[in-house]
């Protein structure tokens, strides 16, 4: 069964769960009965992670090896219905891959760096009756048809500066603005934004727009956390370090080998943090940035042990 709209294949079918319903507490609806929680042997792990009946929107999920797709799959495995966005039709391929795993998934082709693209997203969600209360702001960094990532020091052109901020910062603003009303209406929501260690924690050479945008995502996250906490909505950020994806450059892979963990991270390792922050069990965590970098941001030394002087000595 297919749909002629922006969502592509209708993998949900007529029996798909309805819109997210608010629950009486942080864990959502009491699906086990009112007396279960009072039992000393009552399970706690499953309800803390269970996303059954909820809808998750994951932006920037077109790459088969990227963080967005890994997060979408993990959220789906936890029971969520998943909506993926990307700037090309390959997002529908990713949705079909999730559907083959038994995950209810749909793909929307849109750009989110301006209000026009956000309107396309809103219209597609409305046409399919989708009401996300989980948002993973992953869109950014580089479009699939870019020859290389944006770069440049402070002498970069204003056009490139504006483009860097639009791709890496404004995307999160537009996506959040599009769906936060669903969360407010439900009295429950999770906003997880993928930032980077570049900007909030450290910086690479000649990358001012990217670093500024990623640092801006942390500020946006904190502001959202303060504004939305009373409505049952949390907002957190994840700051990955060197991650092995299809877009990782050879030079980045070399840097990944120098971190304390001795390797680059994986998209699944970042997705696991995203999934926890999106879970009911993370209801009292908001406004935080969790660094996922194998210890790179805390290491003073990059060479083998025994070969470097200690700071302040020698």
């Amino acid at each position: 069964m297919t749909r002629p709209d922006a969502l592509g294949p209708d993998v949900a079918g007529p029996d798909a769960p309805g819109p997210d319903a608010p629950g009486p507490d942080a864990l959502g609806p009491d699906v086990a009965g009112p007396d279960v929680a009072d039992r000393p042997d009552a399970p706690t792990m499953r309800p803390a992670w269970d996303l059954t009946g909820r809808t998750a929107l994951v932006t920037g999920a077109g790459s088969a090896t990227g963080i967005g797709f890994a997060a979408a799959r993990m959220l789906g495995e936890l029971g969520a219905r998943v909506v993926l966005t990307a700037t090309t039709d390959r997002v529908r391929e990713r949705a079909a891959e999730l559907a083959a795993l038994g995950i209810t998934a749909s793909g929307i082709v849109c750009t989110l760096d301006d209000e026009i693209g956000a309107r396309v997203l809103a219209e597609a969600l409305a046409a399919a009756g989708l009401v996300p209360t989980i948002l993973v702001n992953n869109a950014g960094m580089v479009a699939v048809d870019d020859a290389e990532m944006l770069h440049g020091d402070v002498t970069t052109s204003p056009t490139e500066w504006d483009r860097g901020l639009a791709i890496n910062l404004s995307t999160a603003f537009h996506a959040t603005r599009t769906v936060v009303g669903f969360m407010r209406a439900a009295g429950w929501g999770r906003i997880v934004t993928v930032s980077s260690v570049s900007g909030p924690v450290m910086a690479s050479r000649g990358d001012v727009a990217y670093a500024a945008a990623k640092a801006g995502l942390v500020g946006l996250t904190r502001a959202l956390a303060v504004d939305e906490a009373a409505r049952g909505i949390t907002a957190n950020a994840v700051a990955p370090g060197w991650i092995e994806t299809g877009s990782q450059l050879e030079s980045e892979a070399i840097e990944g080998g120098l971190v304390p963990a001795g390797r680059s991270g994986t998209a699944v390792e970042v997705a696991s943090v995203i999934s926890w922050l999106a879970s009911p069990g993370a209801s009292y965590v908001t406004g935080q940035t969790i660094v996922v970098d194998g210890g790179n941001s805390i290491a003073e030394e990059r060479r083998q042990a025994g070969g470097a002087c200690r700071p302040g000595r020698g």
Side-chain angles (χ1 to χ4, degrees):
M1 177 178 175
T2 57
R3 298 178 65 100
D5 54 30
L7 294 176
D10 182 0
V11 298
D15 299 323
D20 297 7
D25 53 28
L27 295 179
D30 183 356
V31 297
D35 301 324
V36 172
D38 295 331
R39 297 202 321 255
D41 60 341
T44 58
M45 280 297 294
R46 182 174 296 177
W49 283 89
D50 189 15
L51 296 177
T52 302
R54 304 198 184 277
T55 300
L57 173 65
V58 183
T59 69
S63 170
T65 63
I67 292 170
F69 184 60
R73 175 173 176 170
M74 197 167 290
L75 292 170
E77 290 173 348
L78 292 172
R81 173 173 41 190
V82 181
V83 184
L84 305 86
T85 79
T87 59
T88 71
D89 282 336
R90 65 178 181 166
V91 72
R92 296 195 175 106
E93 298 174 8
R94 303 289 83 77
E97 290 173 18
L98 295 182
L101 298 173
I103 296 170
T104 304
S106 303
I108 300 174
V109 178
C110 64
T111 57
L112 293 170
D113 53 358
D114 59 24
E115 188 176 0
I116 295 174
R119 193 175 304 125
V120 171
L121 172 61
E123 291 173 354
L125 292 173
L130 293 168
V131 183
T133 55
I134 298 170
L135 170 63
V136 179
N137 282 315
N138 179 67
M141 190 177 78
V142 61
V144 68
D145 56 352
D146 280 347
E148 59 182 19
M149 286 170 30
L150 299 174
H151 65 275
D153 62 15
V154 75
T155 64
T156 191
S157 72
T159 299
E160 288 299 290
W161 168 263
D162 291 343
R163 183 167 176 243
L165 295 187
I167 291 174
N168 294 296
L169 177 56
S170 296
T171 48
F173 166 76
H174 288 298
T176 305
R177 186 172 182 268
T178 299
V179 302
V180 72
F182 300 142
M183 302 180 188
R184 290 175 174 178
W188 191 97
R190 299 286 184 268
I191 302 168
V192 185
T193 298
V194 180
S195 179
S196 172
V197 292
S198 295
V201 182
M202 52 180 68
S204 299
R205 297 183 187 91
D207 218 4
V208 294
Y210 183 82
K214 292 298 186 177
L217 289 175
V218 173
L220 174 63
T221 295
R222 290 171 178 161
L224 287 169
V226 171
D227 287 347
E228 305 300 330
R231 299 183 174 98
I233 302 169
T234 66
N236 293 284
V238 175
W242 302 114
I243 304 299
E244 183 180 359
T245 66
S247 64
Q248 187 182 48
L249 303 175
E250 182 179 353
S251 59
E252 295 172 335
I254 293 172
E255 294 288 348
L258 300 177
V259 310
R263 63 175 177 83
S264 295
T266 68
V268 170
E269 288 173 317
V270 181
S272 68
V273 180
I274 293 171
S275 297
W276 175 68
L277 290 172
S279 73
S283 56
Y284 205 57
V285 179
T286 194
Q288 304 305 305
T289 299
I290 299 181
V291 175
V292 187
D293 72 345
N296 191 42
S297 58
I298 61 169
E300 293 182 339
E301 301 168 333
R302 294 291 184 272
R303 294 178 291 174
Q304 292 281 334
C309 294
R310 295 177 182 174
R313 300 192 181 188

